Amino acid sequence: GTSAHLTNSFLESNRRVWTWAAWVKRSGLGTTQQLFVGGPDDADRLNIRFESDDRLGVDEYSSGATQLYIKTARVFRDPAAWMHLTVAFNSDDIQADRLKIYCNGERVTDLNVTTAVPLSYQGRINSQATHFIGKHAPSSGQYYNGLMGEVHFIDGQDLSPEAFGFFDGQGLWMPKPFKGTFATGGSYGNKVTFAPAILNSGRAGDK
C-alpha cells in the first residue's frame, strides 16, 4: 500500500473492553497490512492486520513479549468484495469470548490461538499513545493496501456486529448507521491526522 494512513492520540481509558469495526476492500494480497494499531512503540502495541498469508491476525506485545496472538484459519483473498470486520475485546469475559472476530455479521470461530488473552488483561489499545489506521506503529511500512470505510472505535463496550450492520431480505450483510454512544475516550474522526496530507477533523467522539 501507499504511505497514507490515519493517526489519533488517545488518552488513557478502558484498556480491558473495546470494539473496532470497519468495512474493507482489499487491493493487494500476500503482504502484511495493518488495519488498526495502538501503543507507544514496537515493543508495546496491539495490531489488527492482514498477514502475509492473507489471514486476519490480532497480536499484542508488552515489553517485547507476546501477550496474545490469535489468527483466523480462513483467508481473505477477494479483492472484488467489500467485507465488514468487527473485533470485540473484553478481557473480563470467559476465555473463549475475550477476543471475538466477526466477518459480515457472522462470528469467525475457526481460529489458531497461539497465545490466549489473559483474564482482565490491560492491553495497549486505549493506552495514552498514538493509534494508527492503516500502518504499523510507530514503524514505517506494512501499510494497508485497499479501501476502508465506516471505521468505528467504541471505548468500553463489547459490541456485536449488529451495532453496525444488518442482514437484508436476501441474506446479505449491509451497513447501517451506528446509533449507540462512544464512551469517554472513544474516537470517530476525532482530531485525526491523515498522513502525508495532514488533514485534521474536529468531530467529537460522541455523535
Side-chain angles (χ1 to χ4, degrees):
T2 68
S3 59
H5 61 277
L6 293 169
T7 66
N8 194 355
S9 296
F10 279 31
L11 298 176
E12 184 81 11
S13 191
N14 193 326
R15 294 165 53 190
R16 298 192 313 275
V17 184
W18 49 265
T19 303
W20 181 87
W23 285 87
V24 300
K25 183 180 181 184
R26 305 194 68 189
S27 296
L29 305 176
T31 60
T32 300
Q33 299 173 31
Q34 302 290 345
L35 295 170
F36 183 55
V37 183
D41 53 49
D42 287 346
D44 296 274
R45 44 82 180 146
L46 180 140
N47 304 326
I48 301 173
R49 65 184 181 221
F50 289 117
E51 303 203 347
S52 59
D53 59 5
D54 297 315
R55 292 174 169 84
L56 186 71
V58 182
D59 71 346
E60 171 150 333
Y61 290 86
S62 178
S63 300
T66 302
Q67 300 300 313
L68 68 97
Y69 183 26
I70 296 173
K71 185 165 76 169
T72 64
R74 66 178 289 185
V75 296
F76 300 86
R77 290 178 176 156
D78 187 356
W82 280 94
M83 57 186 164
H84 185 252
L85 300 174
T86 304
V87 178
F89 184 91
N90 184 348
S91 64
D92 293 332
D93 210 332
I94 63 172
Q95 187 173 85
D97 290 340
R98 290 177 196 162
L99 181 72
K100 298 183 287 291
I101 298 173
Y102 304 87
C103 181
N104 293 335
E106 297 182 343
R107 185 168 176 178
V108 180
T109 56
D110 193 359
L111 301 172
N112 297 316
V113 181
T114 302
T115 307
V117 180
L119 178 63
S120 299
Y121 177 66
Q122 296 267 9
R124 295 302 172 183
I125 296 296
N126 262 333
S127 62
Q128 187 171 346
T130 302
H131 290 52
F132 298 81
I133 296 174
K135 79 176 289 287
H136 193 275
S139 305
S140 61
Q142 298 185 358
Y143 294 102
Y144 173 64
N145 187 357
L147 303 175
M148 192 181 303
E150 289 295 319
V151 180
H152 292 80
F153 177 78
I154 314 298
D155 176 8
Q157 298 180 61
D158 174 4
L159 298 179
S160 68
E162 285 76 16
F164 313 103
F166 67 99
F167 288 104
D168 68 8
Q170 296 179 319
L172 299 176
W173 185 251
M174 303 295 290
K176 72 178 184 182
F178 178 65
K179 298 296 186 180
T181 59
F182 296 87
T184 301
S187 170
Y188 184 63
N190 179 31
K191 298 181 181 177
V192 297
T193 301
F194 181 81
I198 315 300
L199 174 65
N200 291 318
S201 169
R203 181 153 51 180
D206 280 12
K207 289 175 88 172

